[in-house]
């Protein structure tokens, strides 16, 4: 379940970098639907017909999984079948590819990924499920669809918290291979923000920023200590001249802005015990941290991508 860095994908990233992205909710492109089928094949499997017995299969457990996905949705929609096939897998594929009701299609995708999660019985299976979910969420972002799958549900990423010119490009850049960890933390930060858990939102935002720098180090082959905080990771970014020498003086204040405004805020407001007095984190402060983090993530990944392109 690897998303390959094709020429078209690289060109799309370059064109969209730094731009605000309009997320859509009312249609699912055919290309996205087909990509979901590929994920299904790898994560759940497709039934293999028995060569001698009609309506029998060589892998009965797979058809059982698809019946458990197909039947509850068909019942809720008041249908006998989702497609014109006795094979539940084929019916689900037909429904996914042809149904116009976006909510019904998302319901099918949600049920199928719940099955992927619930059927995990060992470490290898768990990793397979995680990869399937990661690819689905990256495909949502790749097609500018305002949805994510999390904890058994497809949730809508409301446009009201994606208003920033930095937040949307940050999500887009983090959706590329190699940044899965920081993407998950960044989305978690916004999930906590929507739930008005501002302390945890700041903590996850800072985690995402630190993880972004670690991902850049890993991709660049730069050594660093796994326990490095944001300040030391920023030192690595400057030591390795991720910011070009001509611009180093111009960005000399970046180190303090990042470490003080993000990491120190996290330490004071979200990262450590608050003591006997409850500390309230205001909405405006959290919004500032999220947007500042997003801007810095965009800057670092774009600098990293530009560096790779010129090497």
């Amino acid at each position: 379940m690897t998303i390959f860095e094709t020429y078209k994908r690289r060109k799309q990233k370059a064109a969209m970098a730094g731009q605000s992205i309009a997320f859509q909710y009312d249609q699912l492109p055919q290309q996205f639907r087909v990509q979901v089928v590929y994920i299904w094949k790898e994560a759940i499997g497709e039934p293999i017909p028995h060569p001698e017995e009609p309506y029998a299969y060589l892998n009965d457990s797979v058809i059982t999984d698809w019946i458990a996905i197909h039947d509850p949705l068909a019942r809720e929609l008041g249908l006998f079948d989702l497609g014109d096939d006795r094979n539940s897998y084929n019916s689900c594929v037909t429904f996914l590819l042809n149904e116009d009701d976006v909510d019904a299609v998302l319901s099918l995708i949600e049920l199928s990924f719940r099955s992927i999660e619930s059927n995990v019985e060992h470490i290898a299976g768990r990793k397979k499920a995680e990869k399937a979910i990661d690819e689905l969420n990256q495909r949502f972002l790749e097609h500018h669809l305002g949805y994510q799958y999390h904890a058994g549900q497809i949730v809508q990423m409301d446009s009201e918290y994606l208003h920033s010119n930095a937040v949307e490009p940050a999500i887009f850049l983090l959706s590329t291979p190699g940044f899965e960890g920081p993407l998950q933390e960044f989305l978690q930060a916004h999930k906590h923000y929507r739930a008005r858990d501002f302390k945890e939102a700041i903590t996850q935002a800072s985690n995402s920023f630190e993880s972004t720098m670690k991902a850049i180090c890993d991709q660049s082959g730069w050594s660093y200590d796994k326990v490095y905080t944001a300040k030391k990771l920023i030192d690595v970014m400057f030591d390795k001249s991720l910011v070009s020498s001509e611009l180093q003086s111009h960005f000399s204040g970046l180190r303090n802005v990042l470490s003080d405004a993000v990491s120190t805020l996290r330490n004071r407001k979200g990262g450590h015990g608050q003591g006997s007095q409850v500390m309230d984190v205001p909405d405006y402060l959290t919004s500032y941290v999220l947007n500042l983090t997003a801007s810095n993530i965009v800057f670092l990944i774009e600098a990293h991508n530009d560096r790779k392109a010129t090497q």
Side-chain angles (χ1 to χ4, degrees), residues 247-304:
L247 297 175
Q248 190 111 13
S249 60
H250 178 73
F251 286 99
S252 60
L254 181 60
R255 187 193 317 259
N256 292 332
V257 171
L258 298 182
S259 60
D260 291 345
V262 178
S263 299
T264 303
L265 278 174
R266 187 273 302 267
N267 291 336
R268 292 176 180 173
K269 297 291 188 179
H272 299 292
Q274 62 184 348
S276 60
Q277 184 177 3
V278 175
M279 295 187 300
D280 291 326
V281 180
D283 189 338
Y284 69 85
L285 177 60
T286 308
S287 178
Y288 166 73
V289 172
L290 293 179
N291 285 300
L292 180 62
T293 304
S295 296
N296 292 321
I297 285 173
V298 169
F299 168 76
L300 288 172
I301 296 180
E302 287 186 341
H304 169 62

Side-chain angles (χ1 to χ4, degrees), residues 8 39 42 60 76-77 83 92 136 138-139 170 172 186 193 222 231 251 263 279-280 293 295 306:
K8 181 176 181 179
I39 301 174
E42 293 187 7
D60 288 338
E76 287 302 314
L77 295 178
C92 286
L136 174 68
Q138 288 187 47
R139 295 303 185 187
F172 183 79
F186 192 74
Y193 178 70
W222 300 339
K231 186 180 186 306
F251 286 99
S263 299
M279 295 187 300
D280 291 326
T293 304
S295 296
D306 182 67

Side-chain angles (χ1 to χ4, degrees), residues 109-110 113-114 117 133-134 136-137 140 147-157 183-185 187-189 191-192 194 204:
I109 295 173
E110 183 179 84
F113 277 80
R114 282 183 192 168
E117 282 191 296
I133 293 167
D134 286 343
L136 174 68
N137 286 334
F140 275 133
Y147 302 99
Q148 289 283 286
Y149 178 88
H150 177 73
Q153 293 185 333
I154 288 179
V155 295
Q156 182 171 314
M157 299 195 298
L183 172 62
Q184 184 180 39
E185 291 165 341
L187 292 174
Q188 281 292 309
K191 177 185 176 184
H192 288 297
R194 294 199 308 275
Q204 289 298 323

Side-chain angles (χ1 to χ4, degrees), residues 22-125:
F23 283 84
Q24 60 175 324
Y25 307 91
D26 57 356
Q27 58 180 332
L28 301 175
Q30 190 68 14
Q31 184 182 13
F32 166 78
R33 297 175 188 235
V34 171
Q35 287 166 338
V36 171
V37 174
Y38 276 102
I39 301 174
W40 280 354
K41 287 181 179 181
E42 293 187 7
I44 304 175
E46 54 184 325
I48 302 174
H50 195 287
E52 299 177 356
E53 300 179 27
Y55 308 119
Y57 300 90
L58 297 178
N59 50 349
D60 288 338
S61 62
V62 171
I63 196 65
T64 299
D65 290 340
W66 281 109
I67 290 173
I69 294 167
H70 172 280
D71 288 2
L73 182 61
R75 181 170 182 163
E76 287 302 314
L77 295 178
L79 302 171
F80 288 113
D81 292 291
L82 297 180
D84 297 327
D85 199 302
R86 291 194 179 190
N87 182 316
S88 295
Y89 167 76
N90 290 340
S91 290
C92 286
V93 170
T94 298
F95 190 84
L96 172 67
L97 296 179
N98 299 302
E99 177 59 40
D100 293 329
D101 185 340
V102 169
D103 289 344
V105 174
L106 289 174
S107 295
L108 173 61
I109 295 173
E110 183 179 84
L111 281 170
S112 66
F113 277 80
R114 282 183 192 168
S115 176
I116 291 171
E117 282 191 296
S118 64
N119 289 335
V120 170
E121 297 179 353
H122 45 77
I123 294 176

